Amino acid sequence: MTEVYDLHCHSTASDGALSPENVVLRAQHQGVTTLALTDHDTVAGLATAQATADKIGLQLIPGIELSANWQKHCLHIVGLGIDPSYKPLVEITDFLQNTRYERAEKMAAKLEKKRIPGALAAVKAAAGEGMITRTHFADFLLSQHHVDTQQEAFDRYLGQGKSAYVPTIWPELADVVKWITGAGGVAVIAHPLRYKLSANWMKRLLTEFKSFGGQGIEVITSRINQDEIRLIANYAQNYELVGSVGSDFHNENNPYVELGRIAQLPPSITPVWSLL
Ligand code: AMP
Ligand code: MN
Ligand code: MN
Ligand code: MN
């Protein structure tokens, strides 16, 4: 049987639409044989996901997607093969839950000033025990017909510099990498082209990331073309980083972002699973 890896996705523990159990079931249905659940700033979904994976015989890699500050950019760092009980990691996720809650209060207040009341109650209800994210705000704005698409919610209200945007102080990249490696995991730069860094800034990032102990880069994500894959693969080779693959699946409504529906890692790249 051929192995199918998907090492980046979300559940209701953060901004995914499916419970951890249903993410695992759907992954198997889509032909995935090894899955990493990587919720934003939380490990809360991992125990349920693991129990489900054990039951159906799917390989689960415990993961997380941590938000990190680097040179005023918010980067996303995927941690793969982490021990979810590693104390510094547990402590930072607790802290970030609070950070996210306080950010949500401020975002809701900004929306209220724009005569859009009720956001805080709605995102709290939608997130439940999970992390509150801007995706929850986008869904709220959609449901109240303030916007027609999730993208429009980010373009008009939630994106950087827009009317409901609240700058957040995320942990420093050096610390994020340290927590992931301390937890026994491999740190991977998620969707590296989404930060719109110039080639020079990208080189600075990769040099520093490596010096902090980072080992991987996501070469394959959803909605990526062959030129982009080649570009990231070159970075991986030049900086001796292993390559990861992940759909960044959030919900069942987007056929372009589906569990397991991603391109192959170029054969020249050392796969991240060689370290897991
Ligand atoms: P947060 O970590 O709370 O700032 O939320 C970030 C999440 O919002 C990302 O992980 C994406 O799932 C989602 N997101 C960010 N930008 C966009 C966008 N332009 N369109 C749709 N979703 C977005
Ligand atoms: Mn997300
Ligand atoms: Mn991300
Ligand atoms: Mn993600």
Side-chain angles (χ1 to χ4, degrees), residues 8-10 14-15 38-40 65 76 78 190-191 194 218 247-250:
H8 184 161
C9 67
H10 297 272
S14 65
D15 59 352
T38 56
D39 275 305
H40 295 287
E65 182 176 19
H76 284 177
V78 162
H191 39 66
R194 213 174 296 166
E218 227 172 46
S247 63
D248 206 0
F249 174 81
H250 282 74

Side-chain angles (χ1 to χ4, degrees), residues 116-233:
I116 302 178
L120 190 63
V123 298
K124 272 168 71 176
E129 303 271 286
M131 289 287 182
I132 303 178
T133 71
R134 284 185 290 164
T135 307
H136 296 104
F137 279 91
D139 290 344
F140 164 75
L141 291 167
L142 253 177
S143 72
Q144 300 292 305
H145 309 290
H146 294 289
V147 293
D148 293 323
T149 63
Q150 219 181 51
Q151 185 59 48
E152 192 188 342
F154 281 89
D155 292 345
R156 283 181 54 195
Y157 296 101
L158 307 172
Q160 191 170 352
K162 305 302 177 190
S163 58
Y165 181 75
V166 173
T168 310
I169 301 169
W170 299 110
E172 283 297 316
L173 178 63
D175 291 324
V176 165
V177 173
K178 191 183 69 190
W179 293 320
I180 290 170
T181 54
V186 178
V188 173
I189 299 177
H191 39 66
L193 299 186
R194 213 174 296 166
Y195 314 117
K196 309 272 179 236
L197 299 176
S198 67
N200 272 335
W201 277 99
M202 195 69 185
K203 288 174 188 165
R204 272 186 73 174
L205 169 61
L206 297 178
T207 304
E208 289 195 26
F209 179 67
K210 287 245 336 178
S211 75
F212 299 149
Q215 292 175 285
I217 188 166
E218 227 172 46
V219 176
I220 304 294
T221 62
S222 294
R223 293 180 294 195
I224 192 169
N225 64 42
Q226 287 303 319
D227 286 343
E228 293 168 327
I229 294 173
R230 257 194 298 276
L231 178 64
I232 308 172

Side-chain angles (χ1 to χ4, degrees), residues 26-153:
R26 187 179 182 89
Q28 189 175 56
H29 184 76
Q30 296 293 334
V32 173
T33 55
T34 301
L35 178 76
L37 178 62
T38 56
D39 275 305
H40 295 287
D41 302 323
T42 182
V43 295
L46 295 179
T48 317
Q50 187 67 63
T52 310
D54 290 347
K55 223 183 296 172
I56 66 174
L58 182 136
Q59 177 82 23
L60 187 87
I61 293 171
I64 192 167
E65 182 176 19
L66 282 165
S67 316
N69 178 58
W70 182 75
Q71 302 285 341
K72 302 224 160 71
H73 294 279
C74 174
L75 307 182
H76 284 177
I77 307 299
V78 162
L80 297 175
I82 50 161
D83 169 5
S85 66
Y86 179 63
K87 204 152 170 244
L89 196 63
V90 173
E91 282 168 3
I92 194 63
T93 55
D94 286 347
F95 174 81
L96 290 172
Q97 182 143 35
N98 197 45
T99 302
R100 284 179 168 280
Y101 188 82
E102 286 172 1
R103 179 181 69 156
E105 287 180 323
K106 290 180 192 152
M107 288 174 64
K110 285 194 159 193
L111 285 172
E112 198 126 11
K113 280 201 184 119
K114 292 245 139 207
R115 297 184 197 190
I116 302 178
L120 190 63
V123 298
K124 272 168 71 176
E129 303 271 286
M131 289 287 182
I132 303 178
T133 71
R134 284 185 290 164
T135 307
H136 296 104
F137 279 91
D139 290 344
F140 164 75
L141 291 167
L142 253 177
S143 72
Q144 300 292 305
H145 309 290
H146 294 289
V147 293
D148 293 323
T149 63
Q150 219 181 51
Q151 185 59 48
E152 192 188 342

